[in-house]
Amino acid sequence: MLKSIMIISAGVSLLISCSTSPESSATDSLMLNEPDSIFVNQILDFNDRLWTEIIFKNDGIFESMAYADSSNFIGQRIYPCARCFLRPEAAKALLKANSIAKTKGLGLLLFDCYRPAVYQQKMFDIVEDPRYVAEPKKGGSMHNKGLAVDIALTDSLGNILDFGGNFDDFSERSHHSFKNLDSLAIYNRILLKGIMAEAGFTFYPFEWWHYSYTHVDYDLDDYVWGCN
Ligand SMILES: C[C@@H](N)C(=O)N[C@H](C)C(=O)O
Ligand SMILES: [Zn+2]
């Protein structure tokens, strides 16, 4: 099947048609020397639906993709490799959040992006609490639509800031309303919330790290990316 990579910039579109698979094509990142432009990789999945990949190295976003290795609440690696796909609108907003963070001398650290719907049931079966894992039978997760990220802030070197708890700590400690935390952790949660809100994301009351992009809607998806 003919697949395409589009490298887009603000106002400029460069379309390169080729006959490689999306798995191999998505890793080909072109670096163009236009400092004010946003460059992202876009691929079509097996249903010809458009995804934007955040290329950690090129986009300057730090990577800690939790489900691409076994250090997560499942205790197993469930993704084939650490790649971050989002719907184009959400990806653009994430790059905006990254720019805002940079102006404050901070970075973004991603724990999760698009999550194929096939994995949501596996997660729900372990946690069985829809506050912490969205229930597949009740609409699934914004991650399954490519419209959510699990995210933290870092210093400029990529060291995570203090958020008063770990990613995927499924307890009240992770709620935005939980106030029995150091003032620095409370400050950092509010800082992250402010940056993400300015970029267009909505916070989630039960998890300080989970943000959704709700200005568009997409169907749940089952696309699983390949790895080189
Ligand atoms: C599993 C956790 N990281 C998460 O993303 N939870 C939310 C509620 C979800 O499943 O959408
Ligand atoms: Zn999440």
Side-chain angles (χ1 to χ4, degrees):
M1 191 196 317
L2 182 68
K3 296 291 180 184
S4 300
I5 308 170
M6 286 189 288
I7 310 297
I8 60 166
S9 65
V12 181
S13 249
L14 172 64
L15 178 66
I16 303 169
S17 292
C18 61
S19 44
T20 56
S21 70
E23 290 77 17
S24 60
S25 63
T27 55
D28 301 330
S29 181
L30 297 189
M31 296 294 289
L32 305 179
N33 291 322
E34 292 180 33
D36 292 327
S37 299
I38 297 170
F39 300 109
V40 289
N41 275 1
Q42 295 199 306
I43 69 164
L44 298 175
D45 68 14
F46 44 48
N47 289 317
D48 283 346
R49 285 178 296 228
L50 190 63
W51 292 97
T52 297
E53 181 169 17
I54 300 299
I55 306 287
F56 295 106
K57 187 164 51 90
N58 294 354
D59 292 325
I61 295 177
F62 296 100
E63 183 262 308
S64 183
M65 298 291 282
Y67 310 123
D69 67 38
S70 57
S71 57
N72 55 53
F73 74 93
I74 306 158
Q76 284 174 19
R77 178 169 66 88
I78 60 170
Y79 294 170
C81 54
R83 293 177 71 178
C84 170
F85 292 94
L86 291 170
R87 292 302 184 185
E89 297 88 345
K92 191 172 173 198
L94 185 67
L95 294 180
K96 181 172 178 189
N98 195 37
S99 300
I100 298 166
K102 277 209 176 100
T103 64
K104 300 175 190 297
L106 300 171
L108 301 183
L109 178 72
L110 287 178
F111 300 113
D112 198 20
C113 302
Y114 160 63
R115 178 187 308 154
V118 286
Y119 301 134
Q120 192 71 24
Q121 187 68 51
K122 191 179 170 89
M123 291 184 171
F124 186 77
D125 289 345
I126 294 169
V127 176
E128 286 187 326
D129 184 336
R131 290 177 303 169
Y132 302 120
V133 176
E135 191 169 356
K137 287 188 188 123
K138 295 198 176 154
S141 167
M142 291 293 276
H143 286 286
N144 307 149
K145 298 179 174 190
L147 294 175
V149 287
D150 291 338
I151 192 164
L153 292 172
T154 69
D155 64 19
S156 60
L157 299 175
N159 304 303
I160 189 168
L161 303 189
D162 179 5
F163 283 90
N166 294 328
F167 169 64
D168 276 356
D169 171 352
F170 300 137
S171 74
E172 288 190 3
R173 192 173 182 84
S174 299
H175 297 189
H176 279 282
S177 59
F178 189 80
K179 295 299 174 214
N180 190 16
L181 298 170
D182 288 350
S183 52
L184 182 60
I186 293 175
Y187 177 84
N188 287 337
R189 287 184 186 193
I190 292 170
L191 188 60
L192 176 61
K193 201 174 171 186
I195 290 171
M196 295 302 277
E198 196 179 335
F201 287 91
T202 303
F203 74 99
Y204 181 64
F206 303 120
E207 296 175 338
W208 60 258
W209 57 82
H210 179 98
Y211 284 86
S212 299
Y213 189 81
T214 58
H215 304 285
V216 290
D217 197 19
Y218 282 89
D219 291 335
L220 306 181
D221 211 294
D222 264 333
Y223 172 61
V224 180
W225 53 92
C227 310
N228 292 326

